[in-house]
Amino acid sequence: MIARVTLEIALRREFDYAIPPELAGQVEVGSRVKVPFGPRQVMGCVTAVLEDTAITRTHLRSLIKIVGTQSLVTPRVLALARWIGGYYCCAPELALKSVLPEAVRREEDGWRERLFVRALPAPAEMPKLTPRQAAVGSIINEWRELPLRRLLTLTGATAETVRKLEDRGLITIAPEVDERDPYARDHILPSKPLVLNPEQDRALETILKAMEASPRLPRAPDGAEGEPTGPRPKPVPHVFLLHGVTGSGKTEVYLQAIAHALERGQGAIVLVPEIALTPQTVERFKARFSSGPHQTLVAVLHSHLSTGERHDEWHKIRQGRARIVIGARSAIFAPVEPLGLVVVDEEHESSYKQEETPRYHARDVAVVRGQMEGAVVVLGSATPSLESYHNVQRGKYSLLELPHRADDAKMPIVRVVDMCQEMRLQKTPPIFSNRLKEAITQRLEKHEQTILFLNRRGYSSSLQCPKCGYVAQCPNCSISLTYHRAAQQIVCHICNHQAAAPTVCPDDKCRNPAIRYSGLGTERVEDTLAKLFPHARITRMDSDTMKRKEDYRRILNDFRAGKIDVLVGTQMIAKGLHFPNVTLVGIIHADLSLHIPDFRAGERTFQLLTQVAGRAGRGEVEGEVFVQSFTPFHAAIQYARRHDYAGFYEQEIEFRRQLRYPPLSHIALLTLKGRNEEKVQFFADHLRKELEKKLSAPVAPGAPSPFPDLILAGPAPAPLARAETFYRYQIMLRTSLMTKLSRRLADLVPHLTLSEDVTLAVDIDPTNLM
Ligand code: ADP
Ligand code: ZN
């Protein structure tokens, strides 16, 4: 027998190894193995077990050993990794790496073991004990079982005393796995299903019907041999887009659909954007499934866990003890089997896209995984991505709508303030319009809370000399430095370059002391606010003030407890937070995201405004939102004001259609970077010529071109032309045939001759065009 193995070193192919007789029958698809490679020994993962291979047996080297007892990758997750490698144009071993967390892949890390003390049944004849031993013995009897260390701190006894009890045959001391639980300290009260309103009920019923219609795939036997894509019942694809306004009770629909999956003996994966992984979100899931008829462990996977915690959470899933997983992007690879349901909450979030190889989009991977495993997929959002809504329009997904807030709360009133007019009223360029100031005053008087949103941290966005025109630029990146007043520093928001803030113009000939800071950030909003309202309790929440993990939690708790009147923040406060006493939301500068050079700027602005506005009026008092803008009639702002998603979609899709941007096409973005600009440009030109030759030429003479609708643009300097000392050039390809184009690119890229100091990154369906 022969094992095909992908190695954990960057090589774009798989290798065959002979399975030695002593390992026969033990090697499975997904086994982790140590193999010889040149003079070294490296780790790899078995992707197939084969009878025969093209290479004759004499040339094959043998596996050295199997690492670990259980195969880590199930055949189904392996199939998913293959799909990712193919579609996102990356080497198989890189795709495989991303489906297995580092904490699980590493050989050294494992379960943590601790010594446990356990009481044994009392012997017929009680041995003689010292008073001390007797006291410790009776405490052990009370607990039945506890960690040795715990016992020692509890009783103040020495290990010696406890050993004596073991010698007398009264107790045992043995190592035992001690599971790490990242949420062990939380006290979570169980919750019961709510009675759904008719809209929620209709949505749930439709989802349940689809679950009933999909075949129940059996749990694949561990290490099923051969190609994991073998014949099996054809799964019915069922993807739903749950479009529900903020506060419409989408989460309750997810919870009840998950309960149904558990009833069917299936598990579920819930993806949430990293930023929404507040204790609140996790709590809601744990609370529902910690007891009752559907009791199961809920595993949590996200970047704030320690390596050990991640290891344990993952294995709880692999062992089938945790049937529900809630996590960020990479949780889509969790080994839940059989999988009945995948939920992608806030599906429009760009954090689902991984910005390093493999550059996969977790929402799209979720849809593919659902299809492969016959699981129902629910994509939820108040502001669906144009991609998903378009998929509804063309019949690929089914639409479920929750147009009203669940608890009958009204949608907030949104007022757009024309800041050009304000400029004329107030002499200096204002941060707060008079109407917003008035509204804040009223809330302070009524003891209601306010959220102010600005998507830029720091004090000022740039430092400029009005006399000589000097602007403080990052030495490594093509952007200006942001002034942070508290720290008295100018900082680059791309590479984090920091320098002391100058007090005079640094230009030797100028030395103007009247150097000016222009543009604004959250720090300045907070400062100005404190001057306007000296008695208000104001707190700022952005990545500058959130230094430690607990900061986030502490501030939100204080806000909930009413210890804060006004919360100022960046997108950190835009989503998912639910505070009944917030009746006012102010968006300081709504145009900020409109003018970035990205065809999605309008869509992002619409989403952001709608999400931020959704924080207002979640309680009994109706909410009010002020949107300050210099372009108040922009479509994104006007449709957001009217809570009109469909209207926004109609005009935006027309714009995309005319320019053939996604979702009317797919993009492959090729970025070349290097420290020598001329070299980067040279290779970018060379790449363009290669692409023209290879992609537009028909496969055979007279045959039609393989990519009839291909649009090739560039090379051009990237919008962020230089970052972290690297110059960047881009070529953009647009086509409707992306699967085919990826395959072509994968063949082409390894054969390109690039200079050693110029690198090429391929991004399929990019969300970040900078
Ligand atoms: P979304 O996820 O759509 O933003 P949530 O699930 O957070 O909305 O629900 C908003 C609020 O409405 C929550 O406090 C939730 O407990 C409540 N809620 C949801 N469904 C119902 C229901 N059927 N009856 C009463 N309250 C509900
Ligand atoms: Zn920089």
Side-chain angles (χ1 to χ4, degrees), residues 752-766:
L752 284 174
T753 35
L754 291 176
S755 153
E756 244 174 42
D757 41 14
V758 175
T759 58
L760 170 65
V762 180
D763 193 349
I764 308 292
D765 298 338

Side-chain angles (χ1 to χ4, degrees), residues 299-320:
V300 180
L301 292 172
H302 61 81
S303 65
H304 290 325
L305 302 183
S306 69
T307 316
E309 285 169 342
R310 214 166 304 160
H311 169 274
D312 291 6
E313 293 291 293
W314 193 90
H315 278 283
K316 286 175 208 168
I317 306 163
R318 183 74 179 97
Q319 294 164 350

Side-chain angles (χ1 to χ4, degrees), residues 299-371:
V300 180
L301 292 172
H302 61 81
S303 65
H304 290 325
L305 302 183
S306 69
T307 316
E309 285 169 342
R310 214 166 304 160
H311 169 274
D312 291 6
E313 293 291 293
W314 193 90
H315 278 283
K316 286 175 208 168
I317 306 163
R318 183 74 179 97
Q319 294 164 350
R321 286 187 296 140
R323 316 292 317 271
I324 302 171
V325 181
I326 169 164
R329 191 169 60 222
S330 65
I332 191 55
F333 304 117
V336 176
E337 264 197 45
L339 182 65
L341 181 72
V342 183
V343 173
V344 184
D345 193 26
E346 310 284 2
E347 65 86 27
H348 63 278
E349 273 287 324
S350 53
S351 66
Y352 284 126
K353 172 82 176 178
Q354 172 141 302
E355 293 295 350
E356 56 196 65
T357 319
R359 297 167 188 267
Y360 66 88
H361 197 300
R363 176 197 59 217
D364 299 337
V365 176
V367 170
V368 170
R369 183 165 181 189
Q371 201 161 19

